Amino acid sequence: DPNYLNWNNATNLVLARIKATVSPLQPLLISCQTASEAWDLLSKLFTSSSKNQIQKLKNKLNSITKQFDQSMVEYLLKAMTILISLQSTGSNIMKANLNDHIVDDLGLDYRSFV
């Protein structure tokens, strides 16, 4: 069947391209016979690391505190950087959550500004 041959050639080309593109991960992809298998394996690998990364960023955001020797600009920049990183992963963390955390963290010294 010519359609099968065309499909088989195409999937072999895609599989070869995937393996070439992610050369550090090639040992994990050796057993993959189709592009679909390789893609599914890579998806599982990167999804789990993304979940771990999201959890690490959430923990980092929840534990951020203003250090005594840290300027307010440095503190807010660090907090916003974590928030932007979280949002770029697709996490639904809102700026309002960050604002609440910052207000709670700053304590009485900054209450007159809030």
Side-chain angles (χ1 to χ4, degrees), residues 24-37:
L25 300 175
Q26 265 186 345
L28 298 173
L29 299 174
I30 287 174
S31 64
C32 296
Q33 298 298 311
T34 66
S36 178
E37 288 176 6

Side-chain angles (χ1 to χ4, degrees), residues 26-83:
Q26 265 186 345
L28 298 173
L29 299 174
I30 287 174
S31 64
C32 296
Q33 298 298 311
T34 66
S36 178
E37 288 176 6
W39 191 259
D40 289 343
L41 178 63
L42 291 172
S43 177
K44 286 177 187 173
L45 286 171
F46 287 108
T47 300
S48 64
S49 67
S50 295
K51 288 178 183 176
N52 290 338
Q53 181 65 14
I54 290 169
Q55 191 56 51
K56 285 180 187 177
L57 287 168
K58 284 181 179 180
N59 291 342
K60 199 172 184 181
L61 188 62
N62 288 332
S63 64
I64 191 170
T65 58
K66 183 182 177 311
Q67 303 300 313
F68 180 74
D69 61 342
Q70 189 177 37
S71 74
M72 182 58 71
V73 171
E74 290 171 327
Y75 171 67
L76 293 175
L77 183 60
K78 184 176 180 181
M80 285 302 294
T81 301
I82 298 169
L83 177 70

